[in-house]
PDB file of all heavy atoms in Angstrom:
ATOM      1  N   GLY A 342      25.455  36.855  89.690  1.00 96.00           N
ATOM      2  CA  GLY A 342      25.126  35.703  90.525  1.00 96.00           C
ATOM      3  C   GLY A 342      25.974  35.471  91.756  1.00 96.00           C
ATOM      4  O   GLY A 342      25.716  34.528  92.512  1.00 96.00           O
ATOM      5  N   ALA A 343      27.004  36.299  91.995  1.00 97.00           N
ATOM      6  CA  ALA A 343      27.809  36.098  93.205  1.00 97.00           C
ATOM      7  C   ALA A 343      26.990  36.493  94.427  1.00 97.00           C
ATOM      8  O   ALA A 343      26.243  37.480  94.386  1.00 97.00           O
ATOM      9  CB  ALA A 343      29.068  36.946  93.139  1.00 97.00           C
ATOM     10  N   ASN A 344      27.134  35.736  95.507  1.00 97.00           N
ATOM     11  CA  ASN A 344      26.411  36.120  96.721  1.00 97.00           C
ATOM     12  C   ASN A 344      27.370  36.631  97.796  1.00 97.00           C
ATOM     13  O   ASN A 344      28.583  36.526  97.657  1.00 97.00           O
ATOM     14  CB  ASN A 344      25.517  34.974  97.227  1.00 97.00           C
ATOM     15  CG  ASN A 344      26.234  33.646  97.205  1.00 97.00           C
ATOM     16  OD1 ASN A 344      27.425  33.619  96.951  1.00 97.00           O
ATOM     17  ND2 ASN A 344      25.518  32.572  97.453  1.00 97.00           N
ATOM     18  N   ILE A 345      26.778  37.199  98.840  1.00 98.00           N
ATOM     19  CA  ILE A 345      27.571  37.795  99.915  1.00 98.00           C
ATOM     20  C   ILE A 345      27.430  36.894 101.136  1.00 98.00           C
ATOM     21  O   ILE A 345      26.301  36.585 101.557  1.00 98.00           O
ATOM     22  CB  ILE A 345      27.066  39.219 100.220  1.00 98.00           C
ATOM     23  CG1 ILE A 345      27.273  40.079  98.982  1.00 98.00           C
ATOM     24  CG2 ILE A 345      27.773  39.820 101.410  1.00 98.00           C
ATOM     25  CD1 ILE A 345      26.836  41.512  99.150  1.00 98.00           C
ATOM     26  N   LEU A 346      28.571  36.496 101.698  1.00 98.00           N
ATOM     27  CA  LEU A 346      28.554  35.465 102.748  1.00 98.00           C
ATOM     28  C   LEU A 346      29.379  35.908 103.940  1.00 98.00           C
ATOM     29  O   LEU A 346      30.395  36.596 103.786  1.00 98.00           O
ATOM     30  CB  LEU A 346      29.150  34.170 102.184  1.00 98.00           C
ATOM     31  CG  LEU A 346      28.544  33.677 100.853  1.00 98.00           C
ATOM     32  CD1 LEU A 346      29.422  32.607 100.234  1.00 98.00           C
ATOM     33  CD2 LEU A 346      27.124  33.172 101.078  1.00 98.00           C
ATOM     34  N   ASN A 347      28.976  35.455 105.133  1.00 98.00           N
ATOM     35  CA  ASN A 347      29.771  35.773 106.327  1.00 98.00           C
ATOM     36  C   ASN A 347      30.890  34.739 106.513  1.00 98.00           C
ATOM     37  O   ASN A 347      31.071  33.848 105.670  1.00 98.00           O
ATOM     38  CB  ASN A 347      28.863  35.911 107.552  1.00 98.00           C
ATOM     39  CG  ASN A 347      28.169  34.593 107.889  1.00 98.00           C
ATOM     40  OD1 ASN A 347      28.627  33.509 107.497  1.00 98.00           O
ATOM     41  ND2 ASN A 347      27.057  34.679 108.601  1.00 98.00           N
ATOM     42  N   ALA A 348      31.595  34.866 107.628  1.00 98.00           N
ATOM     43  CA  ALA A 348      32.758  34.000 107.848  1.00 98.00           C
ATOM     44  C   ALA A 348      32.386  32.525 107.880  1.00 98.00           C
ATOM     45  O   ALA A 348      33.222  31.658 107.625  1.00 98.00           O
ATOM     46  CB  ALA A 348      33.441  34.402 109.151  1.00 98.00           C
ATOM     47  N   GLU A 349      31.124  32.228 108.194  1.00 98.00           N
ATOM     48  CA  GLU A 349      30.676  30.831 108.233  1.00 98.00           C
ATOM     49  C   GLU A 349      30.266  30.328 106.850  1.00 98.00           C
ATOM     50  O   GLU A 349      29.864  29.187 106.693  1.00 98.00           O
ATOM     51  CB  GLU A 349      29.475  30.697 109.182  1.00 98.00           C
ATOM     52  CG  GLU A 349      29.769  31.049 110.630  1.00 98.00           C
ATOM     53  CD  GLU A 349      30.980  30.286 111.146  1.00 98.00           C
ATOM     54  OE1 GLU A 349      31.073  29.077 110.889  1.00 98.00           O
ATOM     55  OE2 GLU A 349      31.850  30.932 111.771  1.00 98.00           O
ATOM     56  N   GLY A 350      30.279  31.218 105.861  1.00 98.00           N
ATOM     57  CA  GLY A 350      29.835  30.835 104.512  1.00 98.00           C
ATOM     58  C   GLY A 350      28.332  30.968 104.340  1.00 98.00           C
ATOM     59  O   GLY A 350      27.767  30.531 103.333  1.00 98.00           O
ATOM     60  N   GLU A 351      27.680  31.617 105.320  1.00 97.00           N
ATOM     61  CA  GLU A 351      26.215  31.767 105.285  1.00 97.00           C
ATOM     62  C   GLU A 351      25.822  33.089 104.628  1.00 97.00           C
ATOM     63  O   GLU A 351      26.398  34.133 104.951  1.00 97.00           O
ATOM     64  CB  GLU A 351      25.654  31.798 106.723  1.00 97.00           C
ATOM     65  CG  GLU A 351      25.842  30.520 107.513  1.00 97.00           C
ATOM     66  CD  GLU A 351      24.840  29.440 107.113  1.00 97.00           C
ATOM     67  OE1 GLU A 351      23.907  29.751 106.346  1.00 97.00           O
ATOM     68  OE2 GLU A 351      25.010  28.289 107.553  1.00 97.00           O
ATOM     69  N   PRO A 352      24.807  33.070 103.728  1.00 97.00           N
ATOM     70  CA  PRO A 352      24.286  34.343 103.208  1.00 97.00           C
ATOM     71  C   PRO A 352      23.498  35.068 104.304  1.00 97.00           C
ATOM     72  O   PRO A 352      22.900  34.422 105.157  1.00 97.00           O
ATOM     73  CB  PRO A 352      23.355  33.908 102.076  1.00 97.00           C
ATOM     74  CG  PRO A 352      23.031  32.483 102.328  1.00 97.00           C
ATOM     75  CD  PRO A 352      24.097  31.893 103.200  1.00 97.00           C
ATOM     76  N   PHE A 353      23.514  36.401 104.282  1.00 97.00           N
ATOM     77  CA  PHE A 353      22.775  37.152 105.301  1.00 97.00           C
ATOM     78  C   PHE A 353      22.015  38.333 104.713  1.00 97.00           C
ATOM     79  O   PHE A 353      21.302  39.041 105.417  1.00 97.00           O
ATOM     80  CB  PHE A 353      23.713  37.639 106.420  1.00 97.00           C
ATOM     81  CG  PHE A 353      24.858  38.465 105.895  1.00 97.00           C
ATOM     82  CD1 PHE A 353      24.750  39.845 105.791  1.00 97.00           C
ATOM     83  CD2 PHE A 353      26.038  37.857 105.489  1.00 97.00           C
ATOM     84  CE1 PHE A 353      25.788  40.606 105.296  1.00 97.00           C
ATOM     85  CE2 PHE A 353      27.093  38.606 104.979  1.00 97.00           C
ATOM     86  CZ  PHE A 353      26.973  39.981 104.884  1.00 97.00           C
ATOM     87  N   VAL A 354      22.155  38.577 103.417  1.00 97.00           N
ATOM     88  CA  VAL A 354      21.409  39.666 102.770  1.00 97.00           C
ATOM     89  C   VAL A 354      21.259  39.291 101.294  1.00 97.00           C
ATOM     90  O   VAL A 354      22.168  38.701 100.698  1.00 97.00           O
ATOM     91  CB  VAL A 354      22.150  41.027 102.921  1.00 97.00           C
ATOM     92  CG1 VAL A 354      23.532  41.003 102.264  1.00 97.00           C
ATOM     93  CG2 VAL A 354      21.330  42.184 102.369  1.00 97.00           C
ATOM     94  N   ASN A 355      20.107  39.627 100.712  1.00 97.00           N
ATOM     95  CA  ASN A 355      19.949  39.402  99.278  1.00 97.00           C
ATOM     96  C   ASN A 355      20.928  40.334  98.545  1.00 97.00           C
ATOM     97  O   ASN A 355      20.901  41.546  98.762  1.00 97.00           O
ATOM     98  CB  ASN A 355      18.501  39.696  98.844  1.00 97.00           C
ATOM     99  CG  ASN A 355      18.281  39.364  97.384  1.00 97.00           C
ATOM    100  OD1 ASN A 355      18.950  39.896  96.508  1.00 97.00           O
ATOM    101  ND2 ASN A 355      17.358  38.470  97.118  1.00 97.00           N
ATOM    102  N   PRO A 356      21.784  39.782  97.689  1.00 96.00           N
ATOM    103  CA  PRO A 356      22.831  40.630  97.078  1.00 96.00           C
ATOM    104  C   PRO A 356      22.288  41.716  96.159  1.00 96.00           C
ATOM    105  O   PRO A 356      23.013  42.652  95.808  1.00 96.00           O
ATOM    106  CB  PRO A 356      23.685  39.631  96.291  1.00 96.00           C
ATOM    107  CG  PRO A 356      22.925  38.364  96.215  1.00 96.00           C
ATOM    108  CD  PRO A 356      21.884  38.362  97.300  1.00 96.00           C
ATOM    109  N   LEU A 357      21.010  41.624  95.767  1.00 95.00           N
ATOM    110  CA  LEU A 357      20.462  42.676  94.899  1.00 95.00           C
ATOM    111  C   LEU A 357      19.466  43.588  95.620  1.00 95.00           C
ATOM    112  O   LEU A 357      18.624  44.229  94.988  1.00 95.00           O
ATOM    113  CB  LEU A 357      19.856  42.072  93.635  1.00 95.00           C
ATOM    114  CG  LEU A 357      20.916  41.539  92.643  1.00 95.00           C
ATOM    115  CD1 LEU A 357      20.281  40.985  91.387  1.00 95.00           C
ATOM    116  CD2 LEU A 357      21.941  42.606  92.267  1.00 95.00           C
ATOM    117  N   GLU A 358      19.580  43.663  96.962  1.00 96.00           N
ATOM    118  CA  GLU A 358      18.941  44.789  97.656  1.00 96.00           C
ATOM    119  C   GLU A 358      19.660  46.056  97.197  1.00 96.00           C
ATOM    120  O   GLU A 358      20.755  45.992  96.623  1.00 96.00           O
ATOM    121  CB  GLU A 358      19.102  44.657  99.176  1.00 96.00           C
ATOM    122  CG  GLU A 358      18.378  43.474  99.812  1.00 96.00           C
ATOM    123  CD  GLU A 358      16.881  43.695 100.018  1.00 96.00           C
ATOM    124  OE1 GLU A 358      16.339  44.706  99.519  1.00 96.00           O
ATOM    125  OE2 GLU A 358      16.254  42.837 100.669  1.00 96.00           O
ATOM    126  N   THR A 359      19.066  47.223  97.465  1.00 97.00           N
ATOM    127  CA  THR A 359      19.748  48.466  97.071  1.00 97.00           C
ATOM    128  C   THR A 359      21.050  48.618  97.871  1.00 97.00           C
ATOM    129  O   THR A 359      21.242  47.983  98.910  1.00 97.00           O
ATOM    130  CB  THR A 359      18.841  49.688  97.325  1.00 97.00           C
ATOM    131  OG1 THR A 359      18.413  49.655  98.684  1.00 97.00           O
ATOM    132  CG2 THR A 359      17.637  49.670  96.397  1.00 97.00           C
ATOM    133  N   ARG A 360      21.926  49.480  97.364  1.00 97.00           N
ATOM    134  CA  ARG A 360      23.276  49.575  97.945  1.00 97.00           C
ATOM    135  C   ARG A 360      23.280  49.960  99.421  1.00 97.00           C
ATOM    136  O   ARG A 360      24.072  49.443 100.206  1.00 97.00           O
ATOM    137  CB  ARG A 360      24.093  50.610  97.169  1.00 97.00           C
ATOM    138  CG  ARG A 360      24.527  50.095  95.850  1.00 97.00           C
ATOM    139  CD  ARG A 360      25.391  51.092  95.125  1.00 97.00           C
ATOM    140  NE  ARG A 360      25.795  50.487  93.875  1.00 97.00           N
ATOM    141  CZ  ARG A 360      26.343  51.155  92.865  1.00 97.00           C
ATOM    142  NH1 ARG A 360      26.552  52.456  92.980  1.00 97.00           N
ATOM    143  NH2 ARG A 360      26.691  50.536  91.775  1.00 97.00           N
ATOM    144  N   ASP A 361      22.421  50.917  99.779  1.00 97.00           N
ATOM    145  CA  ASP A 361      22.435  51.344 101.178  1.00 97.00           C
ATOM    146  C   ASP A 361      22.061  50.180 102.102  1.00 97.00           C
ATOM    147  O   ASP A 361      22.630  50.011 103.188  1.00 97.00           O
ATOM    148  CB  ASP A 361      21.530  52.569 101.408  1.00 97.00           C
ATOM    149  CG  ASP A 361      20.120  52.422 100.859  1.00 97.00           C
ATOM    150  OD1 ASP A 361      19.821  51.420 100.173  1.00 97.00           O
ATOM    151  OD2 ASP A 361      19.290  53.319 101.122  1.00 97.00           O
ATOM    152  N   VAL A 362      21.152  49.344 101.641  1.00 98.00           N
ATOM    153  CA  VAL A 362      20.699  48.220 102.461  1.00 98.00           C
ATOM    154  C   VAL A 362      21.803  47.159 102.577  1.00 98.00           C
ATOM    155  O   VAL A 362      22.108  46.674 103.677  1.00 98.00           O
ATOM    156  CB  VAL A 362      19.410  47.592 101.855  1.00 98.00           C
ATOM    157  CG1 VAL A 362      19.012  46.326 102.586  1.00 98.00           C
ATOM    158  CG2 VAL A 362      18.274  48.613 101.885  1.00 98.00           C
TER     159      VAL A 362
END
Side-chain angles (χ1 to χ4, degrees):
N344 45 8
I345 297 181
L346 308 166
N347 64 21
E349 298 308 315
E351 296 282 351
F353 56 91
V354 61
N355 185 302
L357 288 182
E358 294 281 9
T359 54
R360 285 183 178 166
D361 51 354
V362 173

